[in-house]
Amino acid sequence: SPDPACNPYLAFAAIIEAGLDGIENSINVGKCGESLGHLPEDLISAISALEEDTGFKPNTILRDGLRKFAEWYKVFYWKESK
């Protein structure tokens, strides 16, 4: 289920879109009730798992990346609200 702090309209739209993509591309998600394994509990663990699974390693320091994202977010949503 989505995080309570998220926009529910966007969250459920994303869930529906993911389901439709799975159907259209015949993605096998396993049997109902089958464990997906351990999910990362924090951002650092998630980044480490991403590096292990894909070999992708971000070049940006986390603090700088978050700052850049926050700046982009303010500009993007400020334009949207006008």
Side-chain angles (χ1 to χ4, degrees):
S1 68
D3 185 292
C6 74
N7 177 324
Y9 301 105
L10 294 177
F12 285 110
I15 292 168
I16 291 169
E17 181 62 30
L20 292 172
D21 183 61
I23 292 168
E24 290 172 359
N25 295 302
S26 302
I27 297 172
N28 181 5
V29 294
K31 294 181 181 176
C32 183
E34 189 176 317
S35 175
L36 297 175
H38 174 72
L39 294 176
E41 296 179 4
D42 56 37
L43 183 58
I44 301 301
S45 299
I47 292 171
S48 296
L50 176 66
E51 291 174 5
E52 289 175 21
D53 290 348
T54 65
F56 174 76
K57 182 172 181 164
N59 295 326
T60 305
I61 296 171
L62 181 59
R63 179 175 294 190
D64 294 339
L66 291 173
R67 184 177 298 119
K68 289 177 183 178
F69 174 77
E71 290 168 0
W72 167 84
Y73 188 89
K74 287 191 297 187
V75 169
F76 181 82
Y77 282 101
W78 185 76
K79 288 178 185 176
E80 291 271 315
S81 65
K82 283 188 165 185

